Amino acid sequence: MLKVAIAEDDFRIAQVQERFLQEIENVKVVGKALNAKEAIEMLEQEPIDLLILDIYMPDEMGTDLLPRIRERFSEVDVIVVTAATERDILERCLRNGVVNYLIKPVKMESFIEAIEGYQKKRSLLQARDEVDQSFVNSYFGYDKQQSPVEKVLPSGIDGITLRQVKAILEGLTEGITIEEMGKKMGVSRTTARRYLEYLVSVQECHVQYDYGIVGRPERKYHLT
């Protein structure tokens, strides 16, 4: 279970982010802070894996808070969600080890994609005691073993995740629904649908309808 906290001075935005996080499998929101002081207190009191951090806070800039987080809570990862578009702010965030940087307003799909991408990389790394260059290339998205289709993937489609979807499909004989794929991948229905529909669009997957006994027919995906 990924423990996530939100540091955002606008409580309405924090509520929206919390709703987005609730759409993702294996994620638990463990706290919310409205300013930098509350953010530090929250980190002191609660084990947190990932902090969603705003830059413009009423008592302290997030860019000033980041070095303190890195020094005192080195195992906490940070994704910045901010309206800040200045290059120097992005550079300061990167130098302090943020794992992603999202510019407001953030659509639900982009937000969920960022969190699920973080989950996947975290799981990949935790599953290894040692790494080789091939693993590192895949981790940073430099996998040279991608298929021709994967080399021109559109925004929102990750090569590693796409291969995971294909591997799941290859192990099936009766197809799979969006809900079932989401559970197997540990992602939201939105993400599962995006990958399955992408495979349909490139003709690597096709859809059949299972009408069952009653109710609406189920849409099941099969490898072509």
Side-chain angles (χ1 to χ4, degrees):
M1 182 67 68
L2 182 70
K3 295 181 179 180
V4 183
I6 300 168
E8 165 63 60
D9 70 315
D10 188 329
F11 73 93
R12 294 164 298 184
I13 294 177
Q15 287 177 337
V16 170
Q17 292 177 354
E18 184 172 18
R19 287 200 298 271
F20 289 172
L21 288 164
Q22 290 169 348
E23 293 291 320
I24 307 172
E25 295 283 340
N26 300 317
V27 168
K28 180 181 179 181
V29 177
V30 296
K32 290 184 287 186
L34 293 173
N35 54 53
K37 180 175 181 293
E38 289 181 5
I40 291 294
E41 291 173 350
M42 183 170 60
L43 290 168
E44 289 173 337
Q45 297 169 5
E46 186 78 34
I48 291 169
D49 301 311
L50 177 65
L51 177 67
I52 309 297
L53 177 67
D54 187 20
I55 292 297
Y56 297 119
M57 304 251 254
D59 55 342
E60 186 176 357
M61 287 282 286
T63 43
D64 296 325
L65 184 61
L66 275 169
R68 293 166 57 198
I69 293 173
R70 290 276 64 83
E71 181 180 355
R72 296 184 55 191
F73 312 99
S74 60
E75 294 187 359
V76 175
D77 289 319
V78 178
I79 290 179
V80 168
V81 180
T82 179
T85 58
E86 296 88 344
R87 186 193 67 192
D88 65 310
I89 288 180
L90 172 60
E91 288 177 339
R92 289 176 66 184
C93 289
L94 292 174
R95 291 190 184 109
N96 281 285
V98 302
V99 298
N100 210 329
Y101 190 99
L102 304 177
I103 297 176
K104 297 177 181 176
V106 182
K107 294 182 179 178
M108 181 176 73
E109 185 173 280
S110 299
F111 186 93
I112 289 176
E113 181 183 335
I115 302 300
E116 289 180 342
Y118 167 77
Q119 278 181 303
K120 183 166 292 295
K121 284 190 171 184
R122 186 170 183 266
S123 297
L124 284 171
L125 198 55
Q126 289 182 339
R128 293 288 192 106
D129 291 325
E130 295 183 1
V131 301
D132 55 23
Q133 191 61 52
S134 175
F135 173 85
V136 174
N137 289 346
S138 294
Y139 185 88
F140 286 105
Y142 301 131
D143 192 349
K144 295 182 180 180
Q145 302 303 315
Q146 291 177 315
S147 70
V149 171
E150 290 176 346
K151 290 181 180 179
V152 289
L153 293 176
S155 175
I157 301 294
D158 169 71
I160 297 174
T161 306
L162 186 61
R163 290 198 293 280
Q164 179 190 5
V165 173
K166 290 181 182 179
I168 292 171
L169 287 166
E170 287 170 356
L172 302 172
T173 57
E174 298 182 355
I176 192 168
T177 66
I178 290 170
E179 290 80 2
E180 291 167 344
M181 179 61 79
K183 288 179 180 179
K184 284 183 177 293
M185 295 170 63
V187 301
S188 67
R189 293 179 72 258
T190 301
T191 298
R193 180 188 297 110
R194 182 167 69 248
Y195 280 87
L196 288 169
E197 288 296 332
Y198 171 74
L199 288 174
V200 171
S201 73
V202 295
Q203 300 181 341
E204 292 193 27
C205 192
H206 67 276
V207 176
Q208 290 183 347
Y209 289 91
D210 184 353
Y211 288 89
I213 300 173
V214 294
R216 297 175 60 186
E218 282 192 312
R219 186 177 171 90
K220 287 199 169 184
Y221 294 79
H222 302 252
L223 277 182
T224 299

